């Protein structure tokens, strides 16, 4: 069901509670932001609201303070950075609820940033009374934090019960638009590229993607659990032997939709620059760390034919060059394909950036966990809670 967008709201003179994802990485000590990417990602929605006459109460979590105030996870450095980026004052609230916050809300400031919502245990418990206090004094709710939408927390779910309209921010809207386009009647052929460490993390994703895609290309360590299930040698590769039965079932369901690597880069010790060889059969004592050149060729040909591509997870031990070669080569192939392409997960995004092709990808999701749950066909509570159009 399509959801209300911030563009559907009459924002003039309204106080809008906007849930953003300001869960930025901080240097030890919590004073210095090491990447402001997430703050920048929210700017279009924040600016849109301000330009349309709204006043904003911004809320986010940061880290895992476990329900207690922790100065190392304060959003204060974010307020300072946001103020620089916006070029107008951002008032940092001492908390996210309570009399001092109520006072700030009533004072007419254009931008207030609430303190970390996870300083209260009620946030992660989706507590209605806490949600009611978050919503106090506000007119509308906007959620732009796609990366938190798979969690039913007070600031993503319960709060929507206390405000008359709950809309998607521009970033949230874009995420939903692209993820929906590649999963509901996508341009065909539609292929998915799935990598990463474990089959067990992505069982539901594989099952759901098999219903959608024409081809599922498997890479990363999860390929070896499938190889093990087929009775092929895997040497010392990372495998989940207890998932072999499940892998067999998934392969039976997939039939010829699923492709596994046909060659592998193997090493005796998994470390950057370790001596390696390319093999079709993994020898005893060696571990697979990347897809080999024949697999790159095979997968690239599939990618070139595709009209839509879903990608999650690296094809090898991407953090340890040169074992990023397979992942980077496929990033280039996806970029050159001209297909509608949606990429999720931090490692795939890094590969796309390393290959210098980010501008040729239709959409890079900002939410790893949330995009995986979407691809698994699950309902995201933070999305379901938004007002239907
Ligand atoms: P995920 O979070 O499931 O997407 O997994 C990402 C992780 O999988 C990265 O840290 C990779 O290093 C790891 N990975 C990918 N391929 C392999 C492999 N062949 N052996 C060991 N780890 C791998």
């Amino acid at each position: 069901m399509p959801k209300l967008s911030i563009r559907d709201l009459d924002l003039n003179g309204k106080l809008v509670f906007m849930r953003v994802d300001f869960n930025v990485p901080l240097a030890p000590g919590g004073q210095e932001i090491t990447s402001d990417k997430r703050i920048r990602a929210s700017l279009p929605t924040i600016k849109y609201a301000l330009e349309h006459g709204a006043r904003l109460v911004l809320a986010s979590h940061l880290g895992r303070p476990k329900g207690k105030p922790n100065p190392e996870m304060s959003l204060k450095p974010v307020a300072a950075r946001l103020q620089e980026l916006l070029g107008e004052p951002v008032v940092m609230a001492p908390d996210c609820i309570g009399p001092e916050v109520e006072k700030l809300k009533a004072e007419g400031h254009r931008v207030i940033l609430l303190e970390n919502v996870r300083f209260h245990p009620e946030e992660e418990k989706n507590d209605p009374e806490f949600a009611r206090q978050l919503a106090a004094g506000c007119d509308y709710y906007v959620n732009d934090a796609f990366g938190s939408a798979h969690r039913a927390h007070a600031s993503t779910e319960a709060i929507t019960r206390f405000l008359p309209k709950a809309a998607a921010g521009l970033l949230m809207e874009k995420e939903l638009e692209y993820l929906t386009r590649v999963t509901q009647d996508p341009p065909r052929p539609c292929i998915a590229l799935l990598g990463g460490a474990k089959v067990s993390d992505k069982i539901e994703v594989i099952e759901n993607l098999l219903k959608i895609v024409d081809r599922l290309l498997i890479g990363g360590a999860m390929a070896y659990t499938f190889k093990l299930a087929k009775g092929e040698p895997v040497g010392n590769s990372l495998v989940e032997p207890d998932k072999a039965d499940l892998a067999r079932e998934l392969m039976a369901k997939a039939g010829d939709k699923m492709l596994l690597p046909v060659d592998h880069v193997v090493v005796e010790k998994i470390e950057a620059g370790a001596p390696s060889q390319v093999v079709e059969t993994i020898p005893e004592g060696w571990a697979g760390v990347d897809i080999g050149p024949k697999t790159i060729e095979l997968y690239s040909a599939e990618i070139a034919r595709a009209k839509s591509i879903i990608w999650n997870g690296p094809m090898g031990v991407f953090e340890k060059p040169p074992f990023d070669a397979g992942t980077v080569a496929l990033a280039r192939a996806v970029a050159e394909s001209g297909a509608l392409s949606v990429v999720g997960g931090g490692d795939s995004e890094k590969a796309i950036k390393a290959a210098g092709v980010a501008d040729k990808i239709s959409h890079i999701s900002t939410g790893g966990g949330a995009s995986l749950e979407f691809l698994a066909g699950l309902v995201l509570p933070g999305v379901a809670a938004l007002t239907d159009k």
Side-chain angles (χ1 to χ4, degrees):
M1 177 95 61
K3 295 296 182 180
L4 206 66
S5 155
I6 188 170
R7 291 176 295 115
D8 301 319
L9 299 178
D10 176 7
L11 296 166
N12 200 17
K14 300 290 194 305
L15 186 61
V16 173
F17 185 102
M18 190 184 286
R19 177 59 160 96
V20 287
D21 181 3
F22 284 166
N23 184 25
V24 295
L26 294 173
Q31 301 304 315
E32 192 198 328
I33 298 167
T34 53
S35 164
D36 65 4
K37 193 178 82 178
R38 288 189 168 147
I39 307 177
R40 288 176 186 276
S42 300
L43 285 179
T45 310
I46 293 173
K47 284 187 177 160
Y48 177 92
L50 293 173
E51 280 160 13
H52 286 78
R55 292 194 297 119
L56 292 176
V57 175
L58 302 173
S60 176
H61 75 282
L62 199 171
R64 297 194 171 149
K66 304 209 169 112
K68 284 198 290 275
N70 178 342
E72 295 194 1
M73 294 176 200
S74 166
L75 282 158
K76 270 188 205 137
V78 174
R81 184 74 191 112
L82 179 63
Q83 179 160 307
E84 278 170 22
L85 291 169
L86 272 182
E88 69 168 286
V90 173
V91 177
M92 183 66 211
D95 200 345
C96 59
I97 54 167
E100 287 182 72
V101 175
E102 308 270 300
K103 190 165 162 271
L104 285 177
K105 283 179 182 172
E107 275 173 1
H109 305 286
R110 292 233 309 162
V111 189
I112 300 168
L113 175 58
L114 300 182
E115 186 53 285
N116 196 339
V117 283
R118 286 198 191 163
F119 284 179
H120 294 261
E122 294 86 353
E123 162 66 4
E124 288 177 80
K125 290 187 187 140
N126 203 19
D127 181 88
E129 176 48 29
F130 175 70
R132 191 190 60 73
Q133 292 182 59
L134 288 175
C138 298
D139 298 302
Y140 292 141
Y141 174 80
V142 168
N143 192 346
D144 211 25
F146 177 73
S148 302
H150 57 313
R151 305 213 168 93
H153 289 173
S155 69
T156 60
E157 207 274 338
I159 187 170
T160 61
R161 295 174 222 157
F162 300 95
L163 291 168
K165 286 182 184 173
L170 302 175
L171 178 63
M172 172 75 89
E173 204 184 6
K174 185 164 177 252
E175 292 275 6
L176 297 177
E177 184 198 323
Y178 277 99
L179 283 163
T180 304
R181 268 169 74 185
V182 289
T183 50
Q184 285 177 15
D185 200 15
R188 297 197 179 273
C190 171
I191 67 164
L193 208 53
L194 211 53
K198 294 180 180 168
V199 176
S200 54
D201 288 344
K202 295 180 187 166
I203 299 164
E204 287 166 311
V205 176
I206 296 173
E207 285 186 330
N208 194 47
L209 286 179
L210 284 173
K211 294 184 213 149
I212 297 166
V213 302
D214 302 297
R215 278 254 190 271
L216 180 58
L217 316 182
I218 302 280
M222 78 158 79
Y224 308 124
T225 299
F226 285 107
K227 293 259 169 197
L228 183 74
K230 286 174 82 175
E232 294 178 20
V234 292
N236 285 344
S237 304
L238 182 63
V239 282
E240 293 175 282
D242 59 325
K243 293 291 176 291
D245 286 342
L246 176 83
R248 220 168 284 123
E249 272 171 42
L250 289 170
M251 283 190 291
K253 267 190 206 164
D256 58 9
K257 262 190 191 179
M258 188 190 285
L259 297 188
L260 292 173
V262 293
D263 61 348
H264 320 273
V265 178
V266 294
V267 296
E268 284 179 297
K269 220 171 167 197
I270 303 187
E271 54 190 27
S276 63
Q277 53 171 326
V278 173
V279 296
E280 286 179 14
T281 306
I282 302 175
E284 200 51 47
W286 292 68
V289 284
D290 197 6
I291 54 173
K294 281 192 190 156
T295 309
I296 293 181
E297 205 176 307
L298 176 73
Y299 284 11
S300 298
E302 292 288 341
I303 291 168
R305 268 198 296 277
K307 292 281 182 291
S308 54
I309 300 167
I310 301 165
W311 184 5
N312 185 289
M315 295 290 111
V317 185
F318 162 81
E319 306 88 330
K320 299 197 165 95
F323 312 126
D324 57 344
T327 308
V328 171
L330 294 196
R332 289 210 177 94
V334 172
E336 280 159 20
S337 70
L340 171 69
S341 52
V342 175
V343 174
D347 292 315
S348 326
E349 182 185 350
K350 277 186 212 147
I352 300 264
K353 298 232 160 106
V357 295
D359 59 334
K360 296 212 175 71
I361 302 299
S362 314
H363 180 64
I364 301 177
S365 178
T366 54
S371 66
L372 268 183
E373 291 203 11
F374 193 106
L375 293 178
L378 302 174
V379 172
L380 309 186
V383 176
L386 300 177
T387 311
D388 294 330
K389 251 195 190 175

